[in-house]
Amino acid sequence: MNIFRLVGDLSHLLAILLLLWKIWKTRSCAGVSGKSQIMFGLVYITRYLDLFTNFISIYNTTMKAIFIAVAIATIYLIYFKFKATYDSNHDTFRMEFLIVPVGGLAFLVNHDFTALEILWTFSIYLESVAILPQLFMISKTGEAETITSHYLFALGSYRALYIVNWVYRYYFEGFFDLIAIVAGCVQTILYCDFFYLYVTKVMHGKKLSLPA
Amino acid sequence: KDYIKDKDEL
């Protein structure tokens, strides 16, 4: 464990708790893409299947359990409890356009052709594009609530910090996982224009609004 | 590959 990965994990945890809190407090999931949340749920379930089979550390197990629980709770709030506030007209990104190619790629490009490894690879690839429906929804509505932009900033920062973690681990531990690194770079690049808008607008107290 | 070691990241 290194500081970059720890801060990254905490940023990730902050992001998902921020989103859950926003929906619960405002009793509304307006501006939130349910499709992205479903895909994140899929990411955690397929990646943390080893939650009960191999124990790595208390921290690892606890975080995995929290990520899965919060993802399921968020999906529940969006599609059941506050379903009336779910903006399905703007959350129109076709998930199958992401899940099918990612599933195929996981079969073709992986470290080990075993079920667990292919599911882990699928999870890594899916996570890199899971935010697209959310970014697409913001581009359609033309704006995002400030709390939602904080959620996106924390979520985007987590994988950016993981990239620094991988550089650190490469130089100090000689460890690197090309699949995770390439997917992590793609994932972070997708946030770039959002990061630019966040820094230039939200940081100056303005509302995040895309140029119409 | 030592599966467990490599998969210590979240």
Side-chain angles (χ1 to χ4, degrees):
Chain A
M1 174 59 84
N2 58 66
I3 184 68
F4 306 110
R5 181 145 63 100
L6 181 60
V7 175
D9 288 341
L10 295 179
S11 177
H12 189 187
L13 181 64
L14 173 68
I16 62 175
L17 290 178
L18 209 54
L19 183 67
L20 188 64
W21 179 80
K22 171 251 188 273
I23 297 174
W24 181 254
K25 269 293 171 198
T26 63
R27 304 183 70 74
S28 158
C29 57
V32 176
S33 163
K35 299 189 173 189
S36 277
Q37 296 311 312
I38 289 175
M39 289 201 285
F40 281 123
L42 203 53
V43 164
Y44 301 137
I45 289 168
T46 53
R47 189 176 306 180
Y48 302 151
L49 289 170
D50 61 355
L51 180 59
F52 302 109
T53 52
N54 61 16
F55 177 80
I56 292 167
S57 69
I58 296 278
Y59 170 81
N60 190 274
T61 302
T62 311
M63 291 294 266
K64 286 177 176 177
I66 292 173
F67 285 171
I68 291 174
V70 171
I72 291 171
T74 304
I75 291 167
Y76 168 74
L77 291 187
I78 292 172
Y79 285 100
F80 296 93
K81 193 152 179 64
F82 302 127
K83 182 177 177 55
T85 63
Y86 171 53
D87 184 2
S88 57
N89 300 320
H90 288 114
D91 192 12
T92 55
F93 198 100
R94 303 287 298 275
M95 284 193 287
E96 53 273 31
F97 287 174
L98 295 174
I99 293 177
V100 173
V102 158
L105 190 63
F107 261 90
L108 296 173
V109 181
N110 52 58
H111 291 313
D112 201 13
F113 201 75
T114 61
L116 215 52
E117 188 68 22
I118 288 176
L119 283 170
W120 177 84
T121 310
F122 168 77
S123 159
I124 291 287
Y125 293 152
L126 185 62
E127 188 189 7
S128 63
V129 292
I131 200 62
L132 280 175
Q134 180 65 64
L135 296 177
F136 182 73
M137 183 175 191
I138 289 177
S139 69
K140 280 190 83 172
T141 55
E143 63 171 12
E145 286 180 43
T146 303
I147 189 79
T148 309
S149 50
H150 292 323
Y151 155 73
L152 284 168
F153 183 73
L155 194 63
S157 308
Y158 128 72
R159 214 61 179 170
L161 284 161
Y162 254 70
I163 293 173
V164 182
N165 150 66
W166 289 320
V167 171
Y168 176 91
R169 291 191 76 177
Y170 178 70
Y171 283 113
F172 292 93
E173 301 169 24
F175 166 88
F176 74 98
D177 180 336
L178 212 51
I179 284 179
I181 291 170
V182 172
C185 289
V186 168
Q187 181 170 340
T188 304
I189 287 168
L190 290 177
Y191 281 84
C192 281
D193 67 327
F194 165 76
F195 280 144
Y196 171 76
L197 286 170
Y198 183 85
V199 171
T200 55
K201 290 196 188 227
V202 180
M203 291 278 204
H204 296 84
K206 294 192 195 109
K207 193 174 176 62
L208 186 109
S209 59
L210 301 181
Chain B
K1 285 175 68 64
D2 173 4
Y3 182 82
I4 292 182
K5 182 182 67 62
D6 289 355
K7 292 289 183 299
D8 65 342
E9 294 186 347
L10 288 176

